[in-house]
Amino acid sequence: MNIAAAVNENFANYSNYLIRSAMFVYALAFLAHLAEWVFGARSRVAVQSAALTGEAEQKSAAPGVTVKVTARGGTTTLERPKVITRASASDRGIADGPGAAGGSEKGDLYGRIAVSFTVLAWLLHFGGVAFRAASVQRAPWGNMYEFSTTFGMVAVGAYLVLLALKKDVRWIGLFLTTTVLLDLGLALSVLYTSSDQLVPALHSYWLWIHVSCAIISGAVFYLAAVGSLLYLFRDHFEVALTAGRAQEGRWGDIMRRLPSAATLDKFAYRMNALVFPLWTFTIIAGAIWAQAAWGHYWEWDPKETWSFITWVAYAGYLHARATAGWKGRKAAYLALAAFACFLFNYYGVNIFVTGKHSYAGV
């Protein structure tokens, strides 16, 4: 073994060590986020008091609903107003919840600790990806293992950027750390591939451009999908509140601390709209790279086909929101279906379908 090969092997070992260290710290961040949700919970008495207060406010001063007063001699009759149980998310006038910490100092402390652990884990994660790049001497996303580890790193990075911009998104932390732990665990146990070079046709600067854009797009699509999924739960909760069926217990307390359904819907839409042009460029860049590598811009390879299907699904979602005025559940279902197409394009096509885009060693 020559010196260069030995150095590359050491870099690969450092990468594996840092990725595993990042997983350990992500696990600590997960526990801290979990503690934030647990210790941020209000007491049962406080929950019941808030529920009664909320019901009283809805009955006496519901937005857009008036109480009709009819005087008959010396008697005044108050007619019960109609309760609109399927108002759109933007019409309910329900404020955002207080967040995962629930206004609790102890919960907020655990939340801050969780963010600190997440930052440390991301730095270790970044180091692991960087050493992998050094070991293979190319862009560190030439197979499913490398793509998965980089995808998780970018997803966490996008979350930390939103926090740095003072966006109230700490509620994503628990779900994000859970997903990243699953992603890295799957990458190390099932998808792991030893450091190796790509086939000659793929040695191109387009690897940096095309695949990096795909990773960034997928990471932001993921954050939007989390918002859409939580929107469905929060919307169901708000419908119950509007109908006077306040949900008690731990589940109801968690739902009360999330942003309102309208906020979650807006968050998902903005994330998807923000990154959709980049996904469009990803497909265009892939076509240009295909022409350079294989002599054809488009051959309806399974990866190309499902990339296009994913593009159509997100384009349909954005078009429906912009022109048909779709908001709420229909839009959320469509957004989740589009993200499911993205996931199948990555896992399903790469593992179960043979094509020119099949990753080496998988």
Side-chain angles (χ1 to χ4, degrees):
M1 180 183 295
N2 57 36
I3 297 178
V7 171
N8 291 341
E9 184 177 355
N10 286 334
F11 283 155
N13 292 334
Y14 294 151
S15 172
N16 295 338
Y17 174 76
L18 288 173
I19 292 295
R20 286 182 168 83
S21 299
M23 286 187 66
F24 175 75
V25 183
Y26 277 131
L28 296 178
F30 164 79
L31 293 175
H33 274 300
L34 191 62
E36 177 186 16
W37 283 94
V38 170
F39 290 101
R42 294 178 295 175
S43 67
R44 185 173 182 84
V45 174
V47 171
Q48 292 176 340
S49 175
L52 292 173
T53 302
E55 290 176 6
E57 290 176 352
Q58 289 174 1
K59 291 179 181 178
S60 62
V65 179
T66 57
V67 178
K68 184 178 179 181
V69 181
T70 305
R72 297 175 181 172
T75 305
T76 301
T77 304
L78 300 179
E79 295 183 7
R80 185 182 182 86
K82 289 184 178 181
V83 177
I84 302 173
T85 59
R86 292 301 299 171
S88 66
S90 60
D91 295 333
R92 295 189 187 119
I94 298 178
D96 292 341
S104 164
E105 291 186 7
K106 192 171 186 179
D108 183 65
L109 174 62
Y110 281 112
R112 293 177 183 275
I113 292 173
V115 172
S116 299
F117 277 137
T118 303
V119 172
L120 176 58
W122 184 85
L123 292 174
L124 293 170
H125 196 164
F126 177 84
V129 172
F131 272 110
R132 178 73 178 197
S135 71
V136 295
Q137 299 179 7
R138 56 167 170 78
W141 42 75
N143 51 58
M144 288 189 70
Y145 167 75
E146 294 172 358
F147 189 102
S148 295
T149 53
T150 308
F151 175 85
M153 181 196 74
V154 174
V156 176
Y159 165 70
L160 293 177
V161 167
L162 291 175
L163 287 177
L165 294 175
K166 306 300 183 182
K167 304 297 182 181
D168 186 16
V169 294
R170 206 165 74 189
W171 47 271
I172 299 178
L174 178 62
F175 310 96
L176 178 62
T177 52
T178 303
T179 307
V180 171
L181 283 170
L182 292 174
D183 173 60
L184 294 180
L186 180 64
L188 288 170
S189 61
V190 178
L191 303 177
Y192 183 78
T193 303
S194 300
S195 301
D196 200 0
Q197 292 300 316
L198 299 174
V199 295
L202 299 182
H203 281 283
S204 170
Y205 59 87
W206 284 106
L207 175 66
W208 291 91
I209 299 172
H210 170 65
V211 185
S212 64
C213 290
I215 292 173
I216 295 171
S217 298
V220 179
F221 282 149
Y222 163 77
L223 295 179
V226 172
S228 294
L229 184 62
L230 292 179
Y231 161 80
L232 293 175
F233 290 110
R234 174 73 186 199
D235 179 67
H236 177 75
F237 172 76
E238 290 184 6
V239 168
L241 283 183
T242 307
R245 302 190 305 271
Q247 298 181 355
E248 305 298 339
R250 178 70 67 185
W251 179 252
D253 180 65
I254 291 174
M255 288 296 104
R256 284 183 175 87
R257 285 184 276 163
L258 285 174
S260 68
T263 298
L264 290 170
D265 186 46
K266 186 184 299 182
F267 171 81
Y269 172 68
R270 288 180 174 177
M271 290 293 101
N272 285 325
L274 173 68
V275 81
F276 180 74
L278 185 62
W279 180 247
T280 303
F281 175 75
T282 300
I283 297 176
I284 296 173
I288 297 174
W289 187 13
Q291 164 64 21
W294 301 316
H296 299 279
Y297 287 105
W298 197 272
E299 292 187 282
W300 293 105
D301 179 79
K303 176 67 68 173
E304 296 171 343
T305 301
W306 275 96
S307 295
F308 180 69
I309 291 173
T310 303
W311 184 90
V312 170
Y314 276 109
Y317 163 78
L318 295 174
H319 177 74
R321 286 291 304 255
T323 61
W326 272 24
K327 290 184 180 180
R329 287 184 172 273
K330 289 182 179 179
Y333 289 139
L334 188 54
L336 290 175
F339 186 67
C341 290
F342 177 87
L343 289 179
F344 181 80
N345 186 29
Y346 174 51
Y347 288 106
V349 173
N350 290 337
I351 295 175
F352 302 111
V353 182
T354 301
K356 290 185 175 180
H357 288 76
S358 297
Y359 286 106
V362 178

